Amino acid sequence: MTDATGTTETAAPDTAAASAPDRSGLYLVDGSGFIFRAFHALPMMTRPDGTPVNAVMGFSNMLLKLLADIKAEAVAVVFDSKRLNFRNEFYPDYKAHRPPPPEELVPQFALIREATEAFCLPCLELEGYEADDLIATYARLARDAGRAVTIVSSDKDLMQLVGPGIGMFDPMKNKAIGPDEVFEKFGVAPDKVVDVQALAGDSVDNVPGVPGIGVKTAAQLITEYGDLEGLLSNADKIKQPARRQKLIEFAEQARISRRLVLLDAFAPPPRPLEDLRVREPDHQKLIGFLKAQGFRSIVARVEMEMQRDGRIADGSASSGAASSGSAPGGAAPSPAAPSPTGDTAEAPAARTHALSDVEKRYELVQDLAALRVWIDRARTTGILAVDTETDSLTPATATLVGVSLATEPGLACYIPLAHGAGAAAAGQLDFDAPPPPAQIPVAEVMAALKGVLEDPAILKIGHNFKFDHQLFARNGVAVSPIDDSMLISYALEGGAHGHGMDELAELHLAYTPIPFKEICGTGKSQITFDKVPLDKALAYAAEDADITLRLWTLLKPRLVEARMVTVYETLDRPLVPVVADMERAGVRLDREALARLSQDLAVRLVEVEKDVHRHAGQSFNIGSPKQLGEVLFDVMKLGTGKKGKTGAYSTDSGVLEDLAEQGHVIAQRVLDWRQLAKLKSTYTDALQQKIEKDTGRVHTAFSLAATNTGRLSSTDPNLQNIPVRTEEGRKIRRAFVAAPGNKLLSIDYSQIELRLVAEMADIKALKDAFRDGLDIHAATAAQVFGVPLDQMTSDIRRKAKAINFGIIYGISGFGLSRQLGITPGEANTFIKAYLERFHELKVWMEATKAFARQHGYVVTLFGRRCYMPGIQDKNAARRSFAERQAINAPIQGTAADIMKRAMIRVPGALAAAGSNARMLLQVHDELLFEVPEAEAEQAAALVRGVMEGAAQLGVPLVAEAGIGDNWEEAH
DNA sequence: ATTGTCACG
DNA sequence: GACGTACGTGACAATG
């Protein structure tokens, strides 16, 4: 991750470095780290008033020496925030049993901040982050601006940052720390330090690591296997039995440990890098402070230096520059004096602006020189919002029409790539039409952007980045690292509202973006984006990147406040490249088989239609519920219809099945017709249309922010509802086939939701049954109805199965009675027996509903919030509905979380094993793969392992695999 | 654009 | 005592 700068061939004359040669160093002083070390290293001393000041003294000495020795143009002192930081969110014990600081140290915290201000140096701190994270963030920013960085600290946790352009300096031992010193300490290069720490752990910070593994062993293992994931996925190959066992058992703990020690170099900077410039110290103020502490020897040194340099202490840092640190008496920054440089304590609302408040500076980029300016801007800010425009909504095959970028709010550009000649739409030759506009060839733009888009030190931000990620991947660019403002919003407020850009812009920025319709029209006259004139394209596309950046700026910090960083960073964000690859892979369909099925269905539909009309004695549209109801209930007088709230007759399958049972043949024939019509229109006809010419495959789109529970959904076409329950339907499944030489591999979780009920409600009897590997429905039947397993009947088992499902849905006597065809009274008796046998369940359900009422949301096992607005509704029906949702959402949502964890780990596990299997589809508890025939069994075992190991619970997770030439066979 | 229906987990 | 119900999705055809 080090050769980020200057790798692109096109970057020959580095204009940023040439014209603004700001190569002077930035010094980042680890204030929090220093104070502890100085306190323990230096003998106790006190001020005349008795205040202990030994650490303050050490700190002042250190700063003075630093400022005298170095030629830094910028210095900042960084502190921990007082409150908990984001690490406590996923590991509450982080730095937990640290004793409170010694009594003599406490008053020195504030004095050290005062000292920093007396030296006219900026103090940096940020709620939710440690000093180390801010140091990592500013080190990244400065290095990318081409400036040398020195971290003044001896903390080993910062050693991971050492590399080209970034060094450390130990102020206590007075010696530099470079890659050699890091290797000496950890036995690996700086970029592998976190992997070693993840294994070795750290008792001081309460980082658990893997028991029995110290730094030495860790270094040896990491050297052999490359990195932590490489080691963990090959743990079974370790020779020493005890070590192998520990690595397998504590794999998850090692992963958590790595996240604990890994510094976040993308913390929102509390103030711009440019603000950190060293100012001429206010010597009078400095001397005043030092005298007040009784540091006479230091005062003497300062005065000597002033004389030597011939400086006169007269507040030379005049006007604006002095304003932030010049409060008399060294008091804490006065809130009454608004500082133009901006304090860290600024209200969140002030961080953003209504779109209309800021001048929009949007630029059309039509040559490489202009593009390079934007690339330089991205390197300076380390942050780049990106949006792509295409001629279609299927990113697997769409043509890239343009790219927009934004580097700061209001500052955005659009790079047209494939815009045609203005109004010459319809593809007709028009010799009077204007020629195509000036555009940089796509290949050149990609070559120029690749370095930035793949630079680990530049964060790329998108809204629904999965789409853009796919387009760049098709152009040979693997965008990383990324943030997605849509997914941030989803993690924050899933279920509370939608997360599309337009909706979020209204909600958070009080701004209505230019509607797509206004640019491209609608319906038959709609044009593709490549036909849009450049001025309009610029206004629309640049605005998208601009809004994305503004939303990110506003929403990213809220993740920390809401303690939702872990959900976002471990469940949602990493899914973006994984799902992008799935969509891009697509799935092969047998078009001829579908066509034959369509033909067959068409013939049979005509037959059944005739039959229905014959029974009815008249011709009508069976597909019209209105006409059908009138025929059945008004004309034929079959029972008494009328049900729906709109006054219309209900003709759904339940009603028709009742009629069929009463012997009305027409009802069964309508049901047959409905089934055939559904299969034809939704599947056999539609799926043929969805086969992409370019790839010969179908590419669904998975929505990552559509559901209330954290599940994915699939659209255009929906491949999560392909028929399977009836024989007719399974014929459609057989049209989903593997490419030649390949097999389809389907692996699904067995009973995952019921297992999670047992886990989350902590139901002992149910957990035992799962641990014993019993037939869970038979086992619950035995326990609830008191029937011995050897006397179990299929009917009793069926009833228990229905109750088990009902629990997951937030059971009601009415619902269960309808499902089982029994009276609500009987159903209630069953439920009562169930809740008595599994008494923990009732406790959990009541607690969950109470939580929902109190907070307006429920949480999954992994911390995802599912908002349910109806929970306080005055209407009893709506409230009951929300209560059932409150029961269901944590169960369904936790299952979704676990599936996401598995999906995120699958590609790495496959790659590590050298497998060529490709993940194609997810259907909530099932994953579908396409895999070379010879590798199928191996891939099945591997993926099963990943899925079963995706969470460590009190109940086992079980996944079952099937292999076949088509999806029906594999399932 | 909304409603009814039905495919899936 | 009365609400009207199993939870979560998306697509299609009819209809306003």
Side-chain angles (χ1 to χ4, degrees):
Chain A
M1 61 183 283
T2 50
D3 55 351
T5 47
T7 48
T8 50
E9 309 87 305
T10 49
D14 190 336
T15 49
S19 62
D22 190 357
R23 295 215 151 263
S24 56
L26 167 67
Y27 280 73
L28 295 163
V29 179
D30 174 14
S32 290
F34 188 88
I35 186 170
F36 280 95
R37 283 193 168 72
F39 178 79
H40 291 293
L42 299 173
M44 185 48 63
M45 56 185 79
T46 54
R47 232 162 46 176
D49 67 355
T51 310
V53 288
N54 64 329
V56 183
M57 165 91 139
F59 183 75
S60 304
N61 260 325
M62 185 270 288
L63 276 190
L64 200 63
K65 184 162 171 15
L66 191 69
L67 292 173
D69 287 356
I70 64 175
K71 292 185 289 279
E73 204 185 336
V75 177
V77 183
V78 191
F79 296 98
D80 289 328
S81 80
K82 273 157 248 121
R83 290 238 309 259
L84 299 175
N85 69 72
F86 66 88
R87 290 176 180 82
N88 298 93
E89 181 189 312
F90 59 85
Y91 195 70
D93 288 346
Y94 179 67
K95 297 195 177 178
H97 48 247
R98 275 210 178 166
E103 203 182 315
E104 294 86 3
L105 182 53
V106 174
Q108 301 195 56
F109 288 112
L111 285 174
I112 286 205
R113 281 179 169 73
E114 265 187 52
T116 309
E117 279 166 20
F119 277 94
C120 272
L121 295 176
C123 288
L124 297 174
E125 63 184 303
L126 182 63
E127 193 95 327
Y129 293 87
E130 292 189 56
D132 292 0
D133 298 310
L134 282 181
I135 290 173
T137 299
Y138 282 96
R140 169 185 64 80
L141 287 170
R143 184 199 58 196
D144 292 349
R147 297 164 62 175
V149 178
T150 303
I151 297 164
V152 181
S153 171
S154 52
D155 190 341
K156 63 184 181 339
D157 295 339
L158 286 162
M159 292 186 181
Q160 60 184 272
L161 299 174
V162 171
I166 302 180
M168 279 177 77
F169 177 76
D170 181 343
M172 306 289 289
K173 293 184 182 154
N174 234 338
K175 77 175 225 240
I177 301 172
D180 292 345
E181 286 75 19
V182 175
F183 190 90
E184 200 175 306
K185 176 143 188 78
F186 285 104
V188 291
D191 62 335
K192 301 291 185 202
V193 162
V194 286
D195 296 284
V196 168
Q197 287 183 291
L199 289 169
D202 183 341
S203 56
V204 180
D205 292 348
N206 226 13
V207 174
V210 174
I213 295 190
V215 171
K216 270 204 129 122
T217 312
Q220 180 202 325
L221 289 168
I222 293 302
T223 305
E224 190 173 345
Y225 291 94
D227 59 18
L228 182 67
E229 279 306 317
L231 170 65
L232 294 179
S233 58
N234 288 294
D236 53 335
K237 300 194 183 87
I238 303 276
K239 289 190 192 78
Q240 303 88 329
R243 187 175 292 170
R244 179 176 60 230
Q245 167 63 24
K246 291 278 187 220
L247 280 169
I248 292 169
E249 185 181 345
F250 292 98
E252 196 57 29
Q253 194 167 296
R255 289 193 179 97
I256 290 176
S257 299
R258 190 176 190 278
R259 292 175 56 213
L260 288 174
V261 298
L262 181 66
L263 300 180
D264 184 354
F266 289 100
R271 52 205 286 185
L273 180 61
E274 303 81 64
D275 275 18
L276 306 187
R277 234 159 263 285
V278 167
R279 285 190 292 265
E280 189 65 18
D282 179 341
H283 288 97
Q284 281 176 341
K285 182 180 158 187
L286 176 57
I287 288 172
F289 171 81
L290 294 171
K291 278 187 174 157
Q293 314 311 315
F295 298 160
R296 274 180 309 223
S297 66
I298 309 184
V299 171
R301 269 169 57 198
V302 172
E303 282 172 342
M304 234 169 66
E305 261 179 55
M306 283 165 56
Q307 279 170 11
R308 193 186 61 203
D309 294 1
R311 291 190 196 127
I312 306 296
D314 64 347
S316 58
S318 58
S319 63
S323 61
S324 84
S326 58
S334 155
S339 112
T341 47
D343 285 314
T344 53
E346 211 167 309
R351 280 200 291 264
T352 185
H353 309 268
L355 209 48
S356 46
D357 290 347
V358 177
E359 192 192 352
K360 295 181 198 171
R361 290 168 291 162
Y362 294 168
E363 180 199 355
L364 201 55
V365 169
Q366 295 178 284
D367 59 67
L368 271 177
L371 179 57
R372 289 207 187 94
V373 172
W374 285 91
I375 289 171
D376 289 340
R377 283 196 183 118
R379 292 202 187 283
T380 305
T381 58
I383 281 169
L384 181 67
V386 183
D387 188 40
T388 53
E389 305 299 338
T390 63
D391 62 352
S392 120
L393 287 173
T394 305
T397 54
T399 302
L400 186 57
V401 170
V403 174
S404 48
L405 309 173
T407 53
E408 58 185 89
L411 188 61
C413 70
Y414 180 61
I415 312 157
L417 298 170
H419 281 256
Q428 286 168 348
L429 284 179
D430 178 355
F431 295 103
D432 295 331
Q439 292 169 95
I440 319 170
V442 180
E444 288 180 29
V445 171
M446 286 298 149
L449 285 178
K450 187 177 167 79
V452 170
L453 294 178
E454 295 185 348
D455 187 339
I458 300 175
L459 180 68
K460 276 68 64 176
I461 304 162
H463 196 87
N464 190 18
F465 218 157
K466 172 171 63 68
F467 185 93
D468 314 86
H469 199 277
Q470 227 177 121
L471 277 146
F472 284 116
R474 286 178 52 215
N475 282 279
V477 176
V479 183
S480 170
I482 61 161
D483 253 339
D484 189 325
S485 45
M486 182 182 78
L487 296 184
I488 292 172
S489 173
Y490 185 59
L492 284 170
E493 301 184 303
H497 53 74
H499 306 278
M501 194 170 72
D502 291 358
E503 184 172 347
L504 295 183
E506 296 272 5
L507 184 66
H508 297 298
L509 308 174
Y511 180 78
T512 309
I514 303 167
F516 182 77
K517 286 182 214 161
E518 202 171 296
I519 301 294
C520 290
T522 175
K524 220 179 141 218
S525 59
Q526 191 174 60
I527 57 169
T528 48
F529 205 81
D530 55 306
K531 308 291 191 304
V532 175
L534 290 192
D535 55 337
K536 281 189 172 185
L538 169 66
Y540 176 85
E543 181 178 273
D544 269 10
D546 185 13
I547 291 171
T548 298
L549 185 57
R550 290 172 197 254
L551 288 173
W552 178 83
T553 308
L554 185 72
L555 297 179
K556 185 74 190 277
R558 291 195 191 172
L559 278 177
V560 180
E561 292 159 28
R563 299 178 69 82
M564 216 44 60
V565 174
T566 303
V567 166
Y568 170 67
E569 290 190 353
T570 66
L571 296 175
D572 292 331
R573 186 177 65 182
L575 216 52
V576 169
V578 174
V579 174
D581 285 350
M582 292 168 70
E583 292 182 357
R584 193 179 162 206
V587 57
R588 186 166 189 251
L589 265 85
D590 183 342
R591 184 196 294 270
E592 282 67 40
L594 288 173
R596 283 195 299 274
L597 281 171
S598 278
Q599 260 309 307
D600 180 45
L601 289 169
V603 171
R604 290 163 64 193
L605 273 168
V606 171
E607 286 169 12
V608 179
E609 185 178 23
K610 274 186 194 154
D611 206 23
V612 170
H613 289 170
R614 187 171 57 78
H615 278 99
Q618 62 175 283
S619 181
F620 67 100
N621 184 352
I622 308 173
S624 161
K626 187 165 173 263
Q627 292 182 36
L628 177 64
E630 282 160 10
V631 167
L632 291 180
F633 301 114
D634 289 341
V635 179
M636 299 180 69
K637 311 252 187 255
L638 308 183
T640 53
K642 259 238 166 76
K643 281 216 334 210
K645 45 196 150 193
T646 52
Y649 293 117
S650 171
T651 66
D652 65 20
S653 57
V655 172
L656 294 177
E657 274 160 21
D658 285 349
L659 291 175
E661 257 175 57
Q662 293 162 32
H664 299 295
V665 180
I666 188 174
Q668 183 56 52
R669 299 306 276 159
V670 171
L671 284 167
D672 295 342
W673 185 92
R674 284 243 179 98
Q675 189 197 16
L676 301 177
K678 177 80 172 182
L679 295 179
K680 183 168 189 292
S681 67
T682 307
Y683 301 104
T684 62
D685 287 353
L687 286 176
Q688 292 182 65
Q689 305 298 313
K690 292 291 178 185
I691 299 173
E692 290 288 331
K693 251 201 156 113
D694 298 2
T695 62
R697 297 164 73 101
V698 173
H699 305 266
T700 185
F702 288 103
S703 305
L704 304 184
T707 70
N708 289 331
T709 56
R711 272 189 178 182
L712 307 191
S713 78
S714 162
T715 63
D716 197 31
N718 181 356
L719 296 186
Q720 289 181 323
N721 71 346
I722 300 304
V724 71
R725 290 172 185 170
T726 66
E727 173 51 31
E728 281 307 316
R730 283 194 288 274
K731 290 180 182 167
I732 291 162
R733 225 163 237 250
R734 283 181 211 128
F736 286 72
V737 295
N742 286 253
K743 291 279 186 184
L744 289 184
L745 163 64
S746 161
I747 314 187
D748 69 304
Y749 279 116
S750 163
Q751 300 290 352
I752 188 167
E753 292 192 350
L754 199 55
R755 286 170 199 269
L756 293 174
V757 171
E759 169 78 14
M760 295 200 287
D762 198 18
I763 303 169
K764 182 169 186 313
L766 212 48
K767 285 164 77 176
D768 287 344
F770 276 122
R771 274 198 284 261
D772 295 341
L774 301 180
D775 170 345
I776 199 64
H777 300 311
T780 50
Q783 302 210 20
V784 173
F785 299 120
V787 182
L789 276 176
D790 53 14
Q791 291 171 36
M792 187 56 53
T793 68
S794 64
D795 188 60
I796 297 175
R797 185 180 180 281
R798 182 182 66 90
K799 287 191 167 69
K801 184 176 174 177
I803 307 178
N804 281 336
F805 269 98
I807 297 301
I808 292 165
Y809 295 151
I811 198 153
S812 77
F814 186 91
L816 182 64
S817 71
R818 220 171 121 274
Q819 179 68 30
L820 283 176
I822 59 180
T823 68
E826 288 171 311
N828 280 320
T829 311
F830 288 172
I831 294 169
K832 202 163 166 244
Y834 194 99
L835 291 179
E836 270 167 24
R837 181 64 192 82
F838 302 127
H839 60 276
E840 301 98 324
L841 180 61
K842 183 150 182 78
V843 176
W844 178 79
M845 294 199 304
E846 290 308 320
T848 303
K849 285 188 275 189
F851 185 96
R853 271 191 291 276
Q854 191 186 338
H855 296 95
Y857 62 83
V858 291
V859 293
T860 68
L861 211 54
F862 295 91
R864 180 188 303 282
R865 284 183 193 173
C866 307
Y867 280 88
M868 26 216 64
I871 197 77
Q872 299 276 21
D873 203 302
K874 274 164 50 184
N875 178 304
R878 279 198 287 271
R879 205 169 53 245
S880 307
F881 180 42
E883 285 179 352
R884 291 194 297 275
Q885 287 180 313
I887 297 298
N888 173 258
I891 303 167
Q892 187 182 114
T894 301
D897 291 345
I898 290 174
M899 178 56 104
K900 286 181 176 177
R901 287 165 64 95
M903 292 170 72
I904 290 161
R905 290 184 197 170
V906 156
L910 289 173
S915 172
N916 292 299
R918 286 196 297 176
M919 185 155 59
L920 306 183
L921 298 177
Q922 185 251 46
V923 193
H924 311 308
D925 65 357
E926 173 191 5
L927 292 175
L928 185 72
F929 296 83
E930 187 172 56
V931 49
E933 202 164 342
E935 302 176 15
E937 294 288 350
Q938 179 214 357
L942 187 74
V943 176
R944 272 188 61 195
V946 172
M947 287 173 72
E948 292 182 348
Q952 272 73 44
L953 306 173
V955 288
L957 288 178
V958 173
E960 293 163 349
I963 296 168
D965 290 322
N966 62 65
W967 196 0
E968 200 265 331
E969 252 178 57
H971 189 74

